[in-house]
Amino acid sequence: MPAANTRNFEVRAYEIDLHRRATLPTLINYMQEAAWHNAAARGGSVYLLHEHGVSWVLNRLRLEMFRYPRHLEQITVETWPSGRERFFVYRDYRLLDATGELIGQATSTWIVFDLAARKLVAVPEFLHDLVDLAVPANREPLPRSGGKIRFSEPPAYTQATRVRYHDLDINRHLNQAYYCQWAIEALPQQLIEEKTLKEIDILFKAECTLGDAITSQAYSPETGVFFHQLLRGDTPLTLARTVWT
């Protein structure tokens, strides 16, 4: 079984913004779909994990975009597992346009989540072969996200929302793309429309479920850099750092 896997996508009309470019949630969903198929091809599908009472859950994601694909553009997402520790599995991504040019890349950290206890567990032995395959010979592991993300100043921007039924994923909690979307939607509309998100580094700390009231907060310590957090009451759900140009 080859260590890398590719999935092809065409950017559709309902996946673009006012600049006719794929949105951040669209790209995250593309990566999630590619990871799903790659894990399933190796024998680690979500359906199999559910039979064992566990599932994959994203713990951290760092995405860097060099160029956003536009409406009707064909892109390829390449992904592969890039390492394992006791509680963490690492996965890398490369986003390529139709000519093979690299337009984005990402690193991610995943945990195995006990569906009954709602907590992380050590990677089960039956998954070790899935994640211990070597990285492809022509693919060096990308630098992993390091260091803490801190939300250390009073928020300058705040937005409230609530988890709806169709926001949930197969694990019955909020889909990862919505965490990222809601984090940036606290920013002023003018900034989102006029600037380009070049990088997001997001740490997922706790799950949220149907009906939860969520507060998204953000502030900017320097030009073009923002720190974000999502809260359920006083409980931090995510911390993120974004860079805009």
Side-chain angles (χ1 to χ4, degrees):
M1 177 71 64
N5 187 46
T6 59
R7 300 294 294 183
N8 298 320
F9 300 92
E10 179 179 271
V11 180
R12 302 176 183 180
Y14 54 83
E15 298 172 328
I16 60 176
D17 61 16
L18 66 114
H19 302 295
R20 306 179 187 178
R21 301 178 303 192
T23 65
L24 175 65
T26 292
L27 297 174
I28 291 173
N29 282 327
Y30 287 172
M31 292 190 294
Q32 181 173 252
E33 184 73 7
W36 176 296
H37 286 280
N38 182 243
R42 294 165 174 271
S45 75
V46 173
Y47 299 140
L48 174 63
L49 269 66
H50 276 207
E51 293 176 6
H52 290 264
V54 296
S55 191
W56 296 114
V57 172
L58 185 61
N59 173 253
R60 190 163 184 172
L61 173 71
R62 179 180 178 272
L63 170 64
E64 182 180 12
M65 292 302 299
F66 310 119
R67 180 181 72 79
Y68 280 80
R70 299 179 66 82
H71 183 214
L72 299 180
E73 188 171 349
Q74 305 282 336
I75 72 165
T76 297
V77 178
E78 182 181 33
T79 184
W80 62 90
S82 57
R84 172 176 66 88
E85 298 178 21
R86 183 186 176 197
F87 288 103
F88 302 107
V89 174
Y90 303 105
R91 173 174 288 277
D92 292 350
Y93 304 84
R94 286 162 39 101
L95 284 67
L96 309 170
D97 67 13
T99 70
E101 180 184 353
L102 182 68
I103 62 172
Q105 62 186 21
T107 61
S108 62
T109 305
W110 297 76
I111 61 171
V112 178
F113 186 74
D114 186 302
L115 294 170
R118 311 307 287 184
K119 66 178 183 179
L120 71 88
V121 294
V123 178
E125 186 173 348
F126 76 91
L127 290 174
H128 288 186
D129 287 344
L130 165 71
V131 296
D132 285 345
L133 295 177
V135 173
N138 61 340
R139 294 288 182 266
E140 291 294 326
L142 298 172
R144 294 172 186 161
S145 296
K148 295 182 179 180
I149 303 175
R150 301 183 185 277
F151 196 93
S152 57
E153 297 182 15
Y157 312 104
T158 300
Q159 185 178 79
T161 190
R162 187 175 294 273
V163 180
R164 305 158 301 180
Y165 180 80
H166 288 100
D167 301 331
L168 304 180
D169 64 15
I170 194 172
N171 296 321
R172 300 184 67 86
H173 57 204
L174 184 66
N175 181 286
Q176 59 188 261
Y178 287 107
Y179 284 97
C180 301
Q181 176 181 326
W182 293 353
I184 65 174
E185 284 183 350
L187 300 179
Q189 179 181 349
Q190 183 178 3
L191 183 145
I192 297 173
E193 291 184 354
E194 294 181 359
K195 303 295 184 180
T196 298
L197 177 64
K198 301 297 291 184
E199 180 184 327
I200 181 169
D201 186 0
I202 183 166
L203 174 66
F204 300 84
K205 296 176 63 67
E207 64 175 344
C208 55
T209 57
L210 182 63
D212 283 349
I214 307 300
T215 302
S216 177
Q217 298 179 338
Y219 71 89
S220 176
E222 59 184 280
T223 302
V225 176
F226 292 83
F227 285 87
H228 309 255
Q229 67 176 358
L230 294 182
L231 300 170
R232 181 183 59 236
D234 295 327
T235 301
L237 303 174
T238 65
L239 294 168
R241 176 182 180 270
T242 60
V243 179
W244 302 73
T245 58

